[in-house]
């Protein structure tokens, strides 16, 4: 229910998928940079991922071909999520 509500608000990609493997073309840097906003509670972790120069998306997982894995598409503040928890 939580992921569906975040999807309906435009914060996550489609949540009803079993796919857990990102394509090699997935732009990890852009996604992580979006999450690095200074007011995000996870900004420090996002910064560490960028500094570590992650090579790209994880290579494990399964692609069921229906939708890509659940991915943040824009930053959600804790206030925007407060009614979803």
């Amino acid at each position: 229910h939580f992921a569906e509500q975040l999807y309906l608000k435009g914060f996550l990609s489609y949540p009803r998928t079993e796919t857990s493997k990102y394509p090699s073309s997935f732009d990890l840097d852009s996604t992580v940079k979006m999450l690095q906003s200074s007011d995000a509670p996870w900004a420090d972790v996002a910064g560490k991922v960028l500094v570590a120069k992650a090579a790209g998306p994880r290579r494990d997982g399964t692609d069921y071909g229906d939708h890509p894995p659940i991915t943040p598409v824009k930053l959600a503040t804790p206030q925007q999520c407060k009614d979803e928890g």
Side-chain angles (χ1 to χ4, degrees):
H1 175 74
F2 183 69
E4 181 179 2
Q5 292 303 310
L6 292 175
Y7 165 71
L8 292 173
K9 291 179 177 182
F11 297 117
L12 289 181
S13 64
Y14 190 71
R16 292 186 182 148
T17 183
E18 297 299 318
T19 295
S20 58
K21 183 176 184 177
Y22 288 90
S24 60
S25 61
F26 178 71
D27 188 356
L28 180 63
D29 281 351
S30 291
T31 301
V32 174
K33 285 177 184 175
M34 177 217 11
L35 297 174
Q36 197 182 14
S37 174
S38 62
D39 59 341
W42 47 81
D44 288 341
V45 174
K48 289 175 185 176
V49 170
L50 289 173
V51 168
K53 304 263 188 235
R58 293 174 53 165
R59 307 234 190 285
D60 62 345
T62 304
D63 182 358
Y64 288 95
D66 57 350
H67 297 280
I70 300 171
T71 305
V73 295
K74 72 177 183 181
L75 182 65
T77 65
Q79 294 78 17
Q80 291 168 312
C81 298
K82 67 179 179 179
D83 296 330
E84 306 310 327

